[in-house]
Amino acid sequence: MVMLFVDKLVLYFNLLCFNLLIYSTSDVVHAQLLQGIPSTRVKQVAYGKTIAVTCSPDSTTTAIDLKWYGPNQYFPASNEKYLIKSKALMPLEEDGSSSRIYTEPNGNRLKLIISEIQSIDTGTYNCTGRVTNIPSSWSFELQAFVGLKVEADGQQILVHGENSKIHCSVTAQPPPETSWYFNNNYIDTQASSRYEVVTDGLIVYGVGFGDNGTYECQGTELTTGDTDKKRITVKVVTRPVMAVAPVNTTGVQSRDAQILCSVNSVPPPTYRWYLGNSMDYGAEVGTIADHNRYRPSSTDGTLTITNVQLGDEKWYWCEGRNEADNVFGKAFFEVQMIPTFERSLNLNNTETREGNKAIMICQCEAKPNPKMRFHRVGYAAPYVNGVQPNDSRINIYEKPSSASHENQEIIPQEVVIEIENTTPNDTANYTCIAENSAGRNETTMIIIIQHQPNFDLTPPSLLTQCIWEEHPRNVTVLLSGFPQPSVSWARSDGKQISPDQTAFKQYFEPYWENGRRDEWMANLEINWEVTKGGIQGQYNPVGNYFPKASNNLGAVDFTINVVEAQLPGRVGGLNVTAKTAQSITLFARPPVEENCIPVIGFEIMYKLHGTNDVHQIALFPLDAGSSMKIDNLKSGSSYSVLVYARNERGRGEYSNSKIIETLQSTVPEVVSITSSTESLSNVSHQVVWEMPLDGGEPITQYLVSWREVGATVWNSREISSGSLWWTIPNLQPDTTYEVMVQARNRKGLSAKPNPPSTFRTRPGSTGPSAGRFSNLSLSVEIHYLVIIGVIGLFIILVAIDMICFCSRDWGLLACICTGTSSSPKHPVGDIISLDGAESRSLTSDVDLASKTPAARETSFSVTTAGSRDPATHGQENKVYQYNSQQPGGNALTSFRSAANGSAFEEEKPSSHEYINTSRLNRPPVATAGQLSRELPEHNRPYHSGQPVPQPRVPSRSYSRNQYAGEDSGSMVNQQQHNMPSAGDRVDAYRPNIRPYTPTSRYPRSQQYGMNGASNYRANGPAIRPTVI
């Protein structure tokens, strides 16, 4: 038993030893089965860095259940408290970020990641697992140290003129070495006293603009050789300096204002504005950059306040800022208010009876308080405050108003005008004027004095007024009275004129030209034809008229004398003041006579003595003087001259005939140069002149002479008489020349002008390309311009011809296509325009028999050539009424006509009067107004009140045409006829132009002109002419 026990004991001991051996052996194998990558057991890492260590079996085995445990934790492996898990399973940090320490499985491996290493992360880390079902582990120790680190902003500034620092932090353990570079050049602080390296950067002493550039801060850890660097861009700036500080500024309500602020700095500053009512900037209430009425400039510092309001009165602060610093300035903004007149204030007009006291108050608002006064409209100067020196009845004074304003700083002001013992003359507009430093304003108020009417306003010139045949007259009186008076009229026979009488028209309207509301104008229009020679011809319009004005305060009568105007009398004092070979200058005195209408000018009729070729010159206005000139006469010839005066009614009696002889032919008169004194070219100059009087002989050529100022020899060139300009070539640039032009006729050259004209060429080179107006280039250019002008004129003429063909069947194309005349010709009686209810045109070349008008009876007016009234320039206006159902077709077999506004008369048309209905829908061929506009200026109708053009040359020769023996002013082919003999009427030789006075109340019936045959009455009685 003992032996058995001993054997068992030995067996157990052997098993124990075997197990110990197994465990011991297994431990050796455990260390060999797992390894770390990298395999070093001690790992030194800088603070803030990241390390990754992978736990892995050897390449021939497989590991399972790999785990990493944190530092200072040893076996047993069952302790899960310090187990490092994957990133997704690790708890978050206190700030909510992911864990800095975590594992990442990678197939048969497990990686440990430790990021941003801190001091608490140091210690031993263990990896455990089973390899071929044998437990195994591997561990390493993490040691942390301070690593090399260079920190700096990439953009920094230095302040000019100061000692400034470039900031750069270089840290390491052990302490590193720091070095600096400027624009890639090493900064040797031992050799330069301008630089000093300090712990946190580089100090630059006495910074200048040359210190702009790129700096490099470099750190080196000497034990490890680790190196790091930062590049820094440095800009040198200056501190802002207030160049223009804001100053106290005044603005005006409703206008725009500016507060100026200017800051100097490099780079230029940016600006911001603040507002606040405190003197201390610290009490500012905020920026105003976004306010819709405030417009601060971020570049020039100006603050614009638009539509200034009273509430804008505050302190304003200007800030100028750059990277170096900022600076402030402040100003107070005062708001002023232009005087304003509100209708809610006391601005009532004043009305009182004559003799009572008138008080009128004007009130305004303004800031600061205004100066106020009254000014009567129409007076030269305003009233003075107080009693007026020239009228003690009037007193004016100012005072504060009892009214209030929402702004307590504004106190409404008043000015008062008081007038004692008022008279009608006090009725007027009074201007209330208020003025302060913000501006001036005014308003008009009215004082009206009630009084009975009077005619004191009617001037003496209206006491006698004129009337004559075919001239309706407005008899005008001016009166005053308030309330508004009524006016009635009575004739010289005592009968009242009722407003509905056709012979008279009454008008009444305000006459407030003097600013008075109690002034009126009354008119009585008298129709001569109706009253004397017309339908009611029972009353002579000449005589006294009695207007009567009345209102509720009284009535007053007045008398106006209406007389008949007369034609001017005989012209007296006809004298010759000057004459040449081609002209005669006359002087005449107006007739000395009593007439209610004045002479407006003279007209001349003349002829070559011994011939019947009579010429007429249009009106010479009297306001241009009494001198009259007749041009384009023959030299050494005698002329018979008649002169007569003209007034608004018509032409008066001829003067006595005067025979005047022109001088013998001579050389032309001096030539006048009209071209510019400054040349357009540097090598040439274009001379332009006017055609002179030829001295009685035709001009054959012109002689152009030129020379440099100071030279003695003239250069000359002869030019044909058909040209009035020539270009002088081969001139020197920037040089002054003298030039003159002389005209030559059979008698010789005209006199030289004294002094001659001058011109100066433009500066520039004389080379081939000296200017666009060189002699050659100018010649070529002129030729091109001529060619272009001819082509353009041809195109225009073709276009006009086509338009005329399409719209009128006129022109060359119409002639080719139809064989008719290429231009319209209108013999006497030819219808050239129509103005009727249907706006149709008529011609006289097609019978109406084949056409049918649209209506049975039609009224229309036509204008025919060969008028008896030269005021229409050779046309006669008639209104026709015809019946389209007359036997024999639609020809004008029966009609009535009214010529030039007269009553209808039965008339039988001549055989050539037809209507061409193929043209009824086309526009009229021409109108009298159009033909009038086409006449030369001095032959157009004269209108009273308009300037009368001075006649230049005689342009009319009156003759007798072949139609019905009528006289006409038309310049068509006509037979010349003799001057009138004694006893003949001279109406046939009246000029083709007579003045008339337009009016808005009756037709333009005052056009005058040549009458027709002797059965047509002239203006006034027949005149026995003097035969010349």
Side-chain angles (χ1 to χ4, degrees):
M1 291 294 291
V2 172
M3 290 302 291
L4 181 59
F5 175 75
V6 171
D7 290 338
K8 289 184 178 180
L9 183 61
V10 171
L11 177 61
Y12 287 139
F13 177 77
N14 289 335
L15 289 173
L16 178 62
C17 291
F18 178 77
N19 287 332
L20 290 173
L21 178 62
I22 291 299
Y23 278 112
S24 175
T25 304
S26 66
D27 183 56
V28 174
V29 174
H30 183 79
Q32 294 176 344
L33 296 180
L34 291 176
Q35 60 183 354
I37 304 174
S39 61
T40 57
R41 293 281 184 165
V42 178
K43 302 187 182 298
Q44 294 180 336
V45 183
Y47 286 113
K49 298 291 185 179
T50 298
I51 185 174
V53 180
T54 302
C55 180
S56 172
D58 60 26
S59 59
T60 61
T61 59
T62 302
I64 62 173
D65 199 19
L66 293 177
K67 297 179 182 178
W68 279 99
Y69 290 88
N72 302 322
Q73 305 304 319
Y74 303 100
F75 297 106
S78 61
N79 188 349
E80 298 292 328
K81 182 176 180 180
Y82 300 100
L83 178 64
I84 301 174
K85 301 179 182 180
S86 65
K87 187 174 184 178
L89 299 176
M90 288 295 290
L92 299 177
E93 299 289 340
E94 292 182 358
D95 61 358
S97 61
S98 300
S99 175
R100 296 182 298 104
I101 304 174
Y102 56 90
T103 60
E104 288 182 356
N106 184 11
N108 201 29
R109 302 176 179 182
L110 183 62
K111 181 186 293 186
L112 171 64
I113 300 171
I114 306 172
S115 59
E116 300 177 10
I117 292 175
Q118 303 175 10
S119 59
I120 62 175
D121 299 332
T122 60
T124 301
Y125 288 81
N126 296 291
C127 175
T128 65
R130 298 179 64 83
V131 180
T132 61
N133 205 26
I134 297 175
S136 181
S137 68
W138 185 86
S139 63
F140 71 91
E141 182 179 356
L142 176 63
Q143 298 177 357
F145 64 92
V146 178
L148 179 64
K149 187 175 184 180
V150 179
E151 296 178 311
D153 291 335
Q155 304 286 336
Q156 297 188 39
I157 64 168
L158 296 176
V159 179
H160 186 272
E162 299 182 7
N163 301 331
S164 296
K165 181 188 294 183
I166 305 174
H167 295 272
C168 179
S169 175
V170 181
T171 57
Q173 191 63 38
E177 182 183 82
T178 302
S179 55
W180 284 85
Y181 295 84
F182 174 52
N183 292 339
N184 297 324
N185 295 317
Y186 175 70
I187 298 176
D188 188 353
T189 58
Q190 299 298 322
S192 175
S193 61
R194 292 192 64 241
Y195 301 97
E196 180 184 356
V197 178
V198 294
T199 303
D200 58 347
L202 176 69
I203 297 177
V204 181
Y205 293 95
V207 173
F209 288 110
D211 295 320
N212 277 305
T214 301
Y215 290 78
E216 189 176 280
C217 173
Q218 179 175 295
T220 303
E221 210 284 296
L222 298 179
T223 59
T224 62
D226 192 10
T227 300
D228 195 9
K229 59 185 177 182
K230 288 288 186 181
R231 294 178 67 87
I232 305 169
T233 300
V234 173
K235 178 172 62 175
V236 177
V237 301
T238 63
R239 293 188 185 277
V241 177
M242 188 66 69
V244 179
V247 296
N248 293 345
T249 305
T250 299
V252 178
Q253 183 184 27
S254 301
R255 296 181 182 174
D256 296 347
Q258 289 185 334
I259 305 177
L260 302 181
C261 176
S262 178
V263 174
N264 290 339
S265 70
V266 178
T270 57
Y271 295 87
R272 297 186 71 182
W273 283 85
Y274 305 82
L275 60 82
N277 284 327
S278 172
M279 293 288 289
D280 182 8
Y281 171 70
E284 58 89 16
V285 297
T287 66
I288 56 175
D290 297 330
H291 197 292
N292 58 358
R293 289 194 302 107
Y294 295 91
R295 298 176 183 173
S297 171
S298 62
T299 56
D300 65 2
T302 301
L303 172 65
T304 301
I305 306 175
T306 63
N307 190 22
V308 170
Q309 302 298 317
L310 294 175
D312 295 330
E313 191 169 276
K314 293 182 176 68
W315 284 95
Y316 289 81
W317 303 80
C318 169
E319 177 191 21
R321 173 188 296 272
N322 69 1
E323 297 96 322
D325 204 352
N326 63 349
V327 65
F328 288 93
K330 64 180 180 179
F332 186 77
F333 182 64
E334 178 188 358
V335 179
Q336 295 185 350
M337 178 181 176
I338 297 176
T340 59
F341 303 95
E342 299 293 340
R343 288 302 170 185
S344 59
L345 302 178
N346 192 348
L347 282 177
N348 297 322
N349 298 327
T350 298
E351 182 177 323
T352 187
R353 281 201 176 190
E354 182 178 2
N356 293 344
K357 180 178 181 179
I359 301 177
M360 187 165 62
I361 301 174
C362 175
Q363 187 180 90
C364 81
E365 298 172 339
K367 182 177 178 291
N369 287 339
K371 176 70 175 176
M372 301 183 69
R373 60 191 187 276
F374 274 106
H375 183 189
R376 175 167 171 166
V377 175
Y379 281 23
Y383 289 126
V384 297
N385 284 359
V387 177
Q388 303 309 300
N390 57 351
D391 192 343
S392 60
R393 299 179 306 117
I394 302 176
N395 183 26
I396 296 175
Y397 55 91
E398 295 180 80
K399 67 174 184 177
S401 173
S402 59
S404 62
H405 191 273
E406 58 184 9
N407 189 318
Q408 296 181 357
E409 297 183 8
I410 298 177
I411 301 176
Q413 300 292 306
E414 293 180 351
V415 62
V416 182
I417 180 172
E418 296 180 352
I419 305 177
E420 302 281 353
N421 300 321
T422 55
T423 67
N425 189 50
D426 295 324
T427 297
N429 291 340
Y430 293 81
T431 300
C432 176
I433 303 171
E435 187 172 9
N436 63 6
S437 56
R440 168 190 168 117
N441 201 357
E442 59 185 43
T443 185
T444 300
M445 308 171 69
I446 305 172
I447 294 180
I448 301 178
I449 307 302
Q450 299 176 359
H451 63 96
Q452 74 174 27
N454 64 72
F455 290 92
D456 297 343
L457 295 176
T458 303
S461 59
L462 294 181
L463 297 180
T464 300
Q465 303 187 32
C466 298
I467 192 171
W468 63 90
E469 182 180 1
E470 299 179 356
H471 181 79
R473 180 67 192 187
N474 286 331
V475 177
T476 301
V477 292
L478 303 178
L479 64 151
S480 67
F482 197 88
Q484 176 180 328
S486 60
V487 176
S488 60
W489 293 81
R491 305 188 309 193
S492 58
D493 57 3
K495 294 183 178 179
Q496 291 290 322
I497 300 175
S498 63
D500 58 350
Q501 283 188 258
T502 57
F504 304 95
K505 293 182 180 179
Q506 300 181 35
Y507 305 95
F508 186 83
E509 58 191 32
Y511 183 75
W512 294 346
E513 294 185 3
N514 298 321
R516 293 180 52 171
R517 298 301 178 95
D518 65 338
E519 296 181 349
W520 316 92
M521 179 172 64
N523 293 287
L524 178 67
E525 182 182 302
I526 306 173
N527 190 318
W528 173 285
E529 292 189 359
V530 174
T531 57
K532 186 174 183 179
I535 300 173
Q536 296 181 357
Q538 301 296 325
Y539 177 71
N540 189 343
V542 175
N544 289 332
Y545 288 82
F546 305 101
K548 181 177 182 179
S550 59
N551 63 11
N552 61 346
L553 299 178
V556 63
D557 295 313
F558 200 60
T559 302
I560 295 293
N561 184 27
V562 176
V563 299
E564 182 177 359
Q566 304 298 321
L567 293 171
R570 183 185 297 272
V571 174
L574 182 62
N575 297 311
V576 178
T577 59
K579 60 182 178 178
T580 67
Q582 292 179 282
S583 66
I584 299 172
T585 303
L586 304 173
F587 175 84
R589 290 194 303 270
V592 179
E593 58 185 13
E594 292 292 333
N595 201 345
C596 63
I597 53 176
V599 172
I600 60 177
F602 300 100
E603 294 182 5
I604 297 177
M605 181 180 293
Y606 68 97
K607 70 172 183 174
L608 190 63
H609 191 60
T611 69
N612 293 323
D613 188 9
V614 180
H615 300 271
Q616 179 77 37
I617 295 183
L619 188 71
F620 286 96
L622 194 62
D623 56 10
S626 300
S627 181
M628 301 163 285
K629 187 176 182 180
I630 308 173
D631 288 322
N632 296 331
L633 304 178
K634 293 182 180 181
S635 60
S637 301
S638 296
Y639 286 85
S640 298
V641 180
L642 294 177
V643 178
Y644 48 88
R646 177 177 289 280
N647 61 15
E648 191 177 354
R649 178 168 184 177
R651 190 183 67 188
E653 190 175 354
Y654 287 106
S655 67
N656 293 325
S657 175
K658 193 175 188 67
I659 299 177
I660 307 170
E661 183 178 356
T662 57
L663 299 180
Q664 295 297 324
S665 60
T666 183
V667 297
E669 294 188 4
V670 175
V671 179
S672 174
I673 294 178
T674 60
S675 52
S676 172
T677 59
E678 296 292 333
S679 297
L680 296 178
S681 169
N682 57 351
V683 294
S684 63
H685 178 73
Q686 187 179 79
V687 184
V688 182
W689 60 89
E690 291 182 346
M691 178 183 292
L693 292 177
D694 59 16
E697 297 288 344
I699 295 175
T700 57
Q701 62 180 203
Y702 294 98
L703 180 65
V704 180
S705 303
W706 71 96
R707 67 180 180 184
E708 290 187 24
V709 172
T712 57
V713 179
W714 288 88
N715 303 294
S716 300
R717 176 69 178 268
E718 292 183 347
I719 307 299
S720 67
S721 60
S723 178
L724 294 176
W725 64 272
W726 185 68
T727 300
I728 305 175
N730 303 324
L731 302 178
Q732 294 299 317
D734 199 19
T735 304
T736 302
Y737 288 85
E738 293 179 322
V739 63
M740 62 181 179
V741 179
Q742 295 173 271
R744 186 190 303 274
N745 64 7
R746 190 172 62 88
K747 294 292 185 177
L749 278 173
S750 62
K752 296 180 179 180
N754 186 22
S757 300
T758 61
F759 67 88
R760 188 172 184 85
T761 54
R762 299 183 65 180
S765 171
T766 58
S769 59
R772 64 184 289 261
F773 287 100
S774 65
N775 189 40
L776 178 60
S777 63
L778 180 63
S779 176
V780 173
E781 181 175 342
I782 291 174
H783 283 83
Y784 277 120
L785 290 176
V786 172
I787 294 173
I788 293 173
V790 171
I791 295 175
L793 181 60
F794 177 76
I795 294 174
I796 293 173
L797 292 176
V798 170
I800 294 174
D801 190 67
M802 293 182 65
I803 293 173
C804 292
F805 173 71
C806 294
S807 62
R808 296 287 189 274
D809 289 339
W810 290 357
L812 183 61
L813 189 58
C815 181
I816 295 173
C817 297
T818 65
T820 61
S821 174
S822 61
S823 62
K825 296 181 179 179
H826 305 293
V828 174
D830 193 7
I831 300 173
I832 62 174
S833 71
L834 166 71
D835 182 18
E838 301 177 7
S839 299
R840 297 174 173 175
S841 299
L842 304 180
T843 62
S844 59
D845 56 342
V846 180
D847 194 341
L848 187 64
S850 60
K851 306 296 180 179
T852 302
R856 280 182 170 271
E857 185 167 311
T858 304
S859 295
F860 56 90
S861 67
V862 298
T863 300
T864 63
S867 171
R868 299 187 180 100
D869 187 356
T872 59
H873 301 281
Q875 303 167 37
E876 180 178 15
N877 297 318
K878 287 187 177 182
V879 178
Y880 288 91
Q881 292 182 348
Y882 72 97
N883 191 331
S884 61
Q885 301 302 318
Q886 294 294 329
N890 293 321
L892 293 178
T893 57
S894 174
F895 63 89
R896 298 193 306 158
S897 69
N900 297 325
S902 61
F904 282 100
E905 299 176 356
E906 294 296 334
E907 185 173 341
K908 183 176 180 60
S910 59
S911 60
H912 64 276
E913 290 179 311
Y914 302 104
I915 300 178
N916 181 0
T917 57
S918 65
R919 304 167 61 88
L920 288 180
N921 294 324
R922 298 181 181 174
V925 173
T927 65
Q930 291 171 337
L931 295 180
S932 174
R933 289 192 293 271
E934 293 170 0
L935 290 174
E937 183 179 272
H938 56 277
N939 287 326
R940 296 177 186 171
Y942 168 74
H943 297 259
S944 177
Q946 299 180 353
V948 180
Q950 179 67 28
R952 294 186 292 273
V953 294
S955 60
R956 292 289 181 181
S957 176
Y958 291 92
S959 55
R960 184 183 304 275
N961 59 41
Q962 300 176 359
Y963 293 90
E966 296 179 348
D967 294 322
S968 172
S970 177
M971 299 305 292
V972 297
N973 295 329
Q974 299 167 345
Q975 295 179 352
Q976 301 295 328
H977 63 85
N978 297 329
M979 292 289 287
S981 58
D984 289 343
R985 288 182 177 269
V986 298
D987 302 277
Y989 306 99
R990 292 280 176 100
N992 65 324
I993 300 168
R994 293 291 297 272
Y996 73 93
T997 302
T999 178
S1000 60
R1001 293 176 178 165
Y1002 45 84
R1004 292 170 50 181
S1005 60
Q1006 301 178 48
Q1007 296 185 353
Y1008 299 94
M1010 179 178 293
N1011 290 327
S1014 58
N1015 59 336
Y1016 284 86
R1017 184 179 183 275
N1019 291 324
I1023 301 175
R1024 188 178 183 87
T1026 301
V1027 178
I1028 58 174

